């Protein structure tokens, strides 16, 4: 078979993914991690992890019901005992709003209070419906999937400046922008994993960086890779959209708006190229993406609000919400071209929680409700409720031929520890380690 340069590179970086039928044990154990920083759990700031049961109504998806989230802070617009604030999203109905159309304008009614988002001389409040222009908002959707809300009465934009709600003239700053989207709840659609059962696939680490992004773009041979995969009988292909270096195989307007840089992407949309090439053979596509923007360009993490504790960047709810805006942008861009998403470095030891997994799952499934998701945290039997399949990473140095004797925690016949309803999936090097 004739190969081109980039198909040869992909073949040299193969890993085999073995999938088994699901198991029904539900005994999650203590957390494990392959990331540094395992002693910093108490220093993370995750309100969703410690929230007491207060009887507040839970957020739920419904026609016309939206979340309104500040792009600048990652906090959601909330009615707090009659006062409008932005706060960390905690899956509560008081953080959701019913959209009502009034001609070209939109009204927003809080799901809990039934009162409407209303402009005042000094800012915003909520009030009973009046039909006044102060309750009417002109919503403009931007190419980056974010929106501006301009009040019809005074032509000022709703903004969140340093955490405070205000009305202001347009300034083309993040404080002017909002993500208005369907409600994120704790019952995202279940991903389709039927195509995984009893099948195997291939993964290629495409390590894109500032020095090779143009070469990757020009040498990438999606047709050649797909033909090779078909020849060996692979049922699916996993590719790294990005791998923590801050560069990506496709563009994201949302990422470029938040980070303020647009030259982080290959010129061509290589994910669409790969997906279309695979579809000719009925091969499914899994996309790999880190759970935070960068493991190398720390400025990216800081821009999204991830903070460093000791030697590791750690998760927090607001930063996760901001990164989910980028995931949502990609997910909606690709729709059903992508069949599953595999998120890297979602370690409990650096603050990742079930609630964060729900946020990411909702964002991803806004583009394709049937997409399956997994959250990797290394060689551990811990799982998250929002997962559809096990991330299944095995330790380096365990060849495929020895997987039944080593790293057997994931195998059904070994009573692997997981939760009900997850598709068994193992990701392992084809050779002795990830680089062989």
């Amino acid at each position: 078979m004739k190969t081109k340069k980039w198909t040869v590179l992909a073949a040299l970086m193969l890993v085999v993914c073995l999938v088994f039928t699901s198991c029904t044990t539900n005994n999650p154990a203590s957390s494990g991690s392959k990331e540094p920083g395992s002693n910093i759990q108490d220093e993370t700031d995750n309100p969703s992890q410690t929230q007491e049961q207060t009887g507040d109504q839970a957020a739920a998806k419904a026609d016309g019901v939206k979340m309104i989230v500040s792009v600048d802070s990652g906090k959601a617009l909330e009615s707090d005992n009659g006062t409008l604030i932005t706060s960390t999203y905690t899956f509560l109905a008081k953080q959701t709003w019913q959209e009502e159309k009034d001609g070209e304008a939109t009204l927003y009614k809080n799901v809990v209070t039934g009162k409407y988002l209303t402009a005042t001389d000094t800012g915003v409040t909520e009030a009973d419906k009046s039909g006044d222009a102060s309750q009417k908002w002109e919503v403009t959707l931007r190419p980056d999937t974010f929106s501006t809300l301009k009040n019809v009465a005074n032509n000022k934009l709703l903004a969140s400046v340093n955490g405070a709600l205000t009305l202001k003239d347009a300034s083309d700053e993040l404080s002017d922008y909002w993500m208005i989207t369907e409600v994120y709840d704790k019952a995202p659609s279940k991903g389709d994993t039927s195509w995984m059962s009893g099948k195997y696939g291939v993964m290629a680490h495409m390590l894109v960086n500032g020095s090779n992004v143009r070469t990757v773009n020009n040498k990438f041979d999606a047709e050649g890779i797909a033909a090779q995969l078909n020849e060996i009988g692979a049922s699916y292909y996993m590719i790294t959209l990005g791998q923590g270096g801050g560069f990506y195989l496709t563009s994201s307007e949302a990422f470029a708006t938040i980070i303020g840089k647009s030259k982080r992407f290959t010129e061509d949309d290589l994910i669409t190229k790969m997906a279309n090439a695979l579809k000719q053979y009925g091969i499914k596509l899994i996309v790999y993406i880190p759970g935070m923007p960068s493991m190398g360009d720390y400025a990216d993490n800081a821009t999204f609000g991830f903070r460093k504790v000791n030697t590791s960047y750690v998760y927090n709810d607001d930063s996760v919400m901001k990164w989910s805006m980028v995931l949502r942008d990609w997910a909606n861009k690709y729709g059903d071209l992508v069949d599953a998403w595999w998120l890297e470095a979602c370690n409990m030891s650096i603050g990742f929680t079930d609630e964060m997994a729900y946020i990411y799952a909702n964002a991803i499934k806004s583009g394709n409700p049937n997409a399956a998701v997994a959250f990797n945290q290394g060689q551990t039997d811990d799982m998250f409720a929002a997962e559809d399949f096990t991330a299944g990473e095995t330790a380096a140095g365990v060849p495929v031929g020895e997987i039944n004797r080593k790293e057997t925690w994931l195998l059904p016949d070994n009573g692997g520890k997981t939760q009900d309803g997850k598709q068994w999936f193992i990701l392992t090097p084809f050779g002795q380690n990830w680089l062989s």
Side-chain angles (χ1 to χ4, degrees):
M1 176 180 176
K2 185 177 180 180
T3 59
K4 298 183 180 180
K5 291 182 180 179
W6 212 252
T7 33
V8 172
L9 177 57
L12 288 174
M13 303 181 74
L14 293 182
V15 292
V16 172
C17 309
L18 303 177
V19 181
F20 303 89
T21 55
S22 60
C23 181
T24 58
T25 57
N26 58 355
N27 181 27
S30 59
S31 64
S33 171
K34 67 174 182 179
E35 297 294 321
S38 59
N39 294 322
I40 52 78
Q41 182 68 48
D42 291 339
E43 297 186 56
T44 60
D45 181 18
N46 296 319
S48 62
Q49 195 172 30
T50 59
Q51 178 183 326
E52 296 180 356
Q53 298 300 314
T54 62
D56 286 325
Q57 180 183 343
K61 288 181 171 64
D63 290 343
V65 177
K66 305 292 184 180
M67 298 160 40
I68 305 174
V69 182
S70 168
V71 175
D72 188 42
S73 67
K75 295 182 182 293
L77 182 63
E78 174 183 323
S79 173
D80 181 35
N81 296 318
T83 300
L84 293 186
I85 61 172
T86 58
S87 67
T88 296
Y89 185 67
T90 50
F91 301 89
L92 294 176
K94 65 183 180 179
Q95 298 172 310
T96 63
W97 300 81
Q98 178 73 51
E99 279 188 339
E100 296 180 3
K101 289 297 181 182
D102 187 330
E104 296 297 318
T106 303
L107 282 66
Y108 288 98
K109 181 175 69 174
N110 187 266
V111 168
V112 171
T113 67
K115 295 184 181 295
Y116 289 77
L117 178 62
T118 304
T120 68
D121 292 337
T122 57
V124 289
T125 186
E126 60 174 1
D128 292 330
K129 188 173 185 179
S130 65
D132 188 78
S134 63
Q135 295 184 334
K136 298 178 182 180
W137 301 86
E138 180 183 312
V139 181
T140 301
L141 180 63
R142 296 164 42 88
D144 53 21
T145 74
F146 303 139
S147 297
T148 57
L149 288 87
K150 183 169 71 174
N151 188 257
V152 173
N154 57 30
N155 289 322
K156 301 285 188 180
L157 294 184
L158 177 66
S160 174
V161 180
N162 297 322
L165 287 169
T166 188
L167 293 172
K168 60 190 284 289
D169 293 325
S171 61
D172 198 30
E173 297 176 345
L174 290 185
S175 59
D176 294 353
Y177 306 148
W178 301 86
M179 178 181 73
I180 304 176
T181 186
E182 67 284 344
V183 171
Y184 289 0
D185 63 14
K186 293 187 177 181
S189 58
K190 184 171 177 57
D192 177 20
T193 58
S194 60
W195 49 272
M196 292 182 175
S197 185
K199 307 294 184 180
Y200 69 89
V202 170
M203 177 192 181
H205 284 272
M206 306 293 288
L207 304 178
V208 185
N209 55 51
S211 63
N212 72 1
V213 63
R214 181 171 295 180
T215 301
V216 171
N217 185 84
N218 295 336
K219 298 293 185 179
F220 189 81
D221 182 10
E223 295 289 340
I225 295 171
Q228 286 186 338
L229 292 169
N230 181 60
E231 184 176 334
I232 66 172
S235 295
Y236 48 87
Y237 183 60
M238 184 191 295
I239 189 168
T240 49
L241 190 157
Q243 199 179 8
F247 289 80
Y248 303 92
L249 298 185
T250 186
S251 63
S252 165
E253 294 284 350
F255 180 92
T257 293
I258 293 173
I259 208 71
K261 302 173 184 177
S262 59
K263 296 181 180 180
R264 296 294 196 86
F265 320 116
T266 52
E267 182 177 349
D268 297 327
D269 180 359
L270 302 187
I271 299 300
T272 293
K273 280 189 175 183
M274 194 71 250
N276 288 332
L278 294 174
K279 281 190 177 295
Q280 299 176 74
Y281 304 100
I283 298 172
K284 302 290 188 179
L285 178 63
I286 304 173
V287 167
Y288 168 121
I289 189 71
M292 62 177 67
S294 176
M295 298 172 192
D297 185 346
Y298 299 129
D300 288 3
N301 285 343
T303 301
F304 278 84
F306 294 97
R307 60 189 179 87
K308 197 170 187 178
V309 175
N310 297 332
T311 59
S312 298
Y313 276 84
V314 299
Y315 288 96
N316 67 80
D317 298 87
D318 297 335
S319 298
V320 163
M321 181 62 80
K322 286 188 70 169
W323 185 234
S324 81
M325 297 174 184
V326 179
L327 299 182
R328 175 178 172 270
D329 184 28
W330 276 321
N332 282 274
K333 179 177 181 176
Y334 295 120
D336 60 7
L337 285 177
V338 176
D339 301 285
W341 297 76
W342 196 93
L343 279 82
E344 171 68 304
C346 297
N347 299 60
M348 292 181 183
S349 63
I350 51 175
F352 199 77
T353 67
D354 267 320
E355 286 75 12
M356 295 174 185
Y358 280 126
I359 287 174
Y360 283 165
N362 276 276
I364 287 167
K365 294 181 182 190
S366 68
N368 177 9
N370 294 317
V373 295
F375 302 96
N376 184 51
Q377 51 179 326
Q379 294 83 51
T380 174
D381 52 13
D382 286 316
M383 292 192 67
F384 298 99
E387 290 186 278
D388 298 303
F389 64 103
T390 63
E393 181 178 343
T394 66
V398 183
V400 171
E402 298 181 15
I403 206 164
N404 284 316
R405 286 176 281 143
K406 297 180 182 179
E407 294 295 327
T408 56
W409 60 267
L410 256 174
L411 300 178
D413 59 6
N414 192 51
K417 297 175 181 178
T418 185
Q419 299 174 14
D420 289 341
K422 314 300 183 187
Q423 172 66 52
W424 290 104
F425 182 100
I426 288 180
L427 179 67
T428 188
F430 191 71
Q432 290 291 328
N433 56 60
W434 291 107
L435 298 178
S436 63

